[in-house]
Amino acid sequence: MPHSLSTQDVTSPGGLLLVLAVLIPFIGVLAGMILGGRGAQRVAFAILAAGLAIAIAIADALVQSGDTVVYILGDWAPPLGVALRADGLAVIMLLAIAVVIGGIGVYARGDFGTPPGVREARAPLMFWLLLLAVWGSLNLVFVSGDLFTLYVALELLTFAGVPLVSLGGQPETLRSALRYLLYALFGSVLYLLGAVLLYGAYGTLDILLLAARVHPEPVTWAAAALMTVGLLAKTALFPLHLWLPPAHAGAPAAASAVLSGLVIKGSWFLAVRLWLDVFAGVVTLPSAQMLAALGAAAILVGNIVALRQARLKLLIAYSTVAQIGYLFLMFPLAAGLAAAQIDSTAAVNGGMLQAISHATAKAAMFMAAGLIYTTLGHDRIADLRGAARALPMTLLAFALGGASLIGLPPSGGFLAKWLLVSAAITTAQWWWVLVMLVGGLLTSAYVFIVVVRAMAPAPEGWTPRARVPHYQQVAVLALALCSFLLGMAAFCPVDVARIGRAVVPEIGWP
């Protein structure tokens, strides 16, 4: 693969910001536990603002320096010490997650707020603590420089994400949470076994040092296979997706937005790190094709099953299964460009844009579904009449999010698919173009069905079951607009994704 992280053994300017990006959310968790329900909400909103500012500051440090932002813990350089690193890919994810977390936080104030005079409950306190814990865990995933720290980050992410499924406390949600936990622990065991094999063979778990030491041999192939399968289980890629739809069925809308838009991105990002950095010279083009074949199956199966759903929330859940598949099409496309001695940045950027576009769009769509449920008292797709009249802003947000999933311009989904299609044409991998085309058509079908039925006039004398706060609708629309306008990133004068990732043409995929 023609990309590798740049090397630094000293803390760079702005490096301390990486520590703050990880610690601030966890400090918020501790403060929230001490202060209780209303206090936890106030702490969460303060952390949301501070975390976004820190992410912007890290991005500024990256652009100003033109190289990876690095922090060496205790001034002990790897392999003896631990390094935090943020290249262009990590910074893009830090910014995107901060924006999505902020939108979810504003929305969740309506569902998990504790107004004055109302007795504090368990669910609101737990939600705010878990939201901050998920954020801190994701930030640690993005900036970790070694495989063991990444393992710790993944476990923190798992144990913060699983309770979100069962916030309601119903028996079915507890079963869904346990199923999710079993899949996640299965993935963790496989990942850790792979890391142990790598440490035994090469004496380090630092990503930069491993990238320089690994070479094609059975132990490396075994480690790559174990770690990849483990991460696929956590990411819910077909056929290891069975935990995801039930997890969304009974979870609150804000929790579903966190799980679908954010949590699964952590394990996917780690897979990108492994395949692009650690195993760049080890994994083969056929193995990348196999990974994308699973993605193609996810696109087709997920979309077809989504079309058959009777409930809006389950439709969006199975749509997530399909959209995850797009994230894995970048691997053979990047491999094909590398094999042809062509810069594979376009394919990598396409994958990253797809991840960010999906995070913003799917968070908006799940929260829109939550508002529709509150207003109508149900989310039966066949009986959404009156939703557009009661929630015009929410339905617009749902349509904009759906347009991004379909890939209509100028959405982020359009730019992502354009880059992936261009890479497929350049490398003569036309079959992936067909997969994306069919996936887009299927997605457009169920988005169209939902919007048309929601725009149908309500029965005479119909009134909404409940009114939802205006700010919740604004939060949903804001995230949908972020996804729909993300395609404007093509006009950004700086290709942030390239920073800290030196092009090395002589490294290729066998």
Side-chain angles (χ1 to χ4, degrees):
M1 194 68 201
H3 288 280
S4 64
L5 291 169
S6 59
T7 58
Q8 279 185 325
D9 290 329
V10 295
T11 297
S12 64
L16 185 60
L17 292 169
L18 303 183
V19 179
L20 293 178
V22 175
L23 287 184
I24 290 296
F26 288 112
I27 291 174
V29 172
L30 296 176
M33 292 176 65
I34 295 172
L35 296 176
R38 292 186 184 86
Q41 180 182 330
R42 298 189 190 99
V43 168
F45 275 96
I47 297 298
L48 292 177
L52 178 59
I54 291 171
I56 294 172
I58 293 173
D60 180 67
L62 179 84
V63 173
Q64 294 297 325
S65 66
D67 200 0
T68 304
V69 180
V70 180
Y71 185 82
I72 306 297
L73 298 179
D75 288 329
W76 287 87
L80 296 179
V82 174
L84 302 180
R85 304 185 184 97
D87 62 348
L89 300 185
V91 167
I92 288 172
M93 295 302 292
L94 286 172
L95 282 172
I97 297 305
V99 171
V100 176
I101 284 276
I104 294 173
V106 173
Y107 173 91
R109 181 171 176 267
D111 292 344
F112 294 102
T114 307
V118 176
R119 183 178 179 181
E120 294 184 359
R122 177 189 63 86
L125 171 62
M126 294 304 300
F127 175 81
W128 295 113
L129 298 183
L130 294 171
L131 182 68
L132 293 178
V134 165
W135 193 10
S137 304
L138 282 170
N139 286 349
L140 184 57
V141 169
F142 300 143
V143 304
S144 293
D146 69 275
L147 298 184
F148 184 75
T149 305
L150 282 164
Y151 168 75
V152 173
L154 282 176
E155 292 309 286
L156 290 173
L157 186 59
T158 295
F159 291 115
V162 168
L164 286 172
V165 177
S166 56
L167 275 179
Q170 297 90 353
E172 59 271 18
T173 62
L174 293 175
R175 285 194 295 269
S176 299
L178 286 175
R179 184 185 293 110
Y180 174 20
L181 180 62
L182 289 175
Y183 270 84
L185 292 178
F186 168 73
S188 298
V189 169
L190 294 183
Y191 175 88
L192 189 58
L193 285 175
V196 168
L197 289 177
L198 289 176
Y199 187 79
Y202 302 108
T204 183
L205 291 176
D206 183 78
I207 290 176
L208 291 182
L209 296 179
L210 273 176
R213 297 180 186 182
V214 296
H215 53 271
E217 59 176 334
V219 66
T220 310
W221 293 327
L226 287 169
M227 299 174 85
T228 299
V229 173
L231 294 173
L232 297 188
K234 287 178 171 288
T235 310
L237 180 65
F238 180 89
L240 301 174
H241 68 289
L242 299 179
W243 63 267
L244 190 143
H248 288 298
S256 290
V258 173
L259 291 170
S260 179
L262 304 179
V263 171
I264 60 175
K265 301 301 187 300
S267 49
W268 172 79
F269 185 82
L270 180 47
V272 172
R273 276 278 183 246
L274 291 178
W275 280 63
L276 268 61
D277 297 328
V278 177
F279 301 126
V282 175
V283 292
T284 62
L285 181 54
S287 63
Q289 295 280 3
M290 184 182 304
L291 199 59
L294 295 177
I299 292 171
L300 299 177
V301 173
N303 280 323
I304 291 172
V305 177
L307 275 169
R308 296 171 57 85
Q309 296 306 303
R311 289 183 52 199
L312 180 58
K313 201 172 184 188
L314 280 175
L315 180 150
I316 303 172
Y318 279 103
S319 172
T320 296
V321 173
Q323 294 297 316
I324 289 171
Y326 287 102
L327 301 178
F328 290 89
L329 298 185
M330 63 175 280
F331 292 103
L333 300 178
L337 291 172
Q341 296 294 301
I342 302 174
D343 184 10
S344 62
T345 300
V348 176
N349 285 354
M352 296 299 296
L353 276 168
Q354 178 65 26
I356 298 169
S357 176
H358 175 260
T360 49
K362 199 51 66 75
M365 293 174 78
F366 266 117
M367 293 189 297
L371 294 181
I372 291 173
Y373 186 94
T374 300
T375 301
L376 303 183
H378 66 84
D379 65 346
R380 295 186 301 273
I381 297 172
D383 195 20
L384 292 179
R385 293 180 300 167
R389 190 184 78 180
L391 300 167
M393 193 183 304
T394 298
L395 187 63
L396 174 61
F398 185 93
L400 290 176
S404 186
L405 297 186
I406 295 167
L408 299 180
S411 68
F414 167 76
L415 182 56
K417 291 177 176 63
W418 177 269
L419 291 172
L420 294 174
V421 166
S422 299
I425 294 173
T426 301
T427 58
Q429 299 182 61
W430 53 266
W431 47 91
W432 304 128
V433 178
L434 292 179
V435 169
M436 285 184 271
L437 176 62
V438 174
L441 292 174
L442 292 172
T443 303
S444 63
Y446 58 72
V447 171
F448 179 79
I449 289 172
V450 171
V451 172
V452 167
R453 291 185 176 175
M455 292 181 68
E460 193 72 27
W462 177 85
T463 56
R465 179 179 176 180
R467 301 285 182 180
V468 297
H470 185 71
Y471 65 81
Q472 284 190 301
Q473 298 190 61
V474 172
V476 174
L477 182 58
L479 283 182
L481 283 172
C482 286
S483 182
F484 188 70
L485 298 177
L486 187 60
M488 306 302 290
F491 300 102
C492 181
V494 180
D495 189 353
V496 178
R498 284 180 178 268
I499 300 178
R501 305 189 61 79
V503 177
V504 189
E506 67 270 20
I507 298 178
W509 288 46

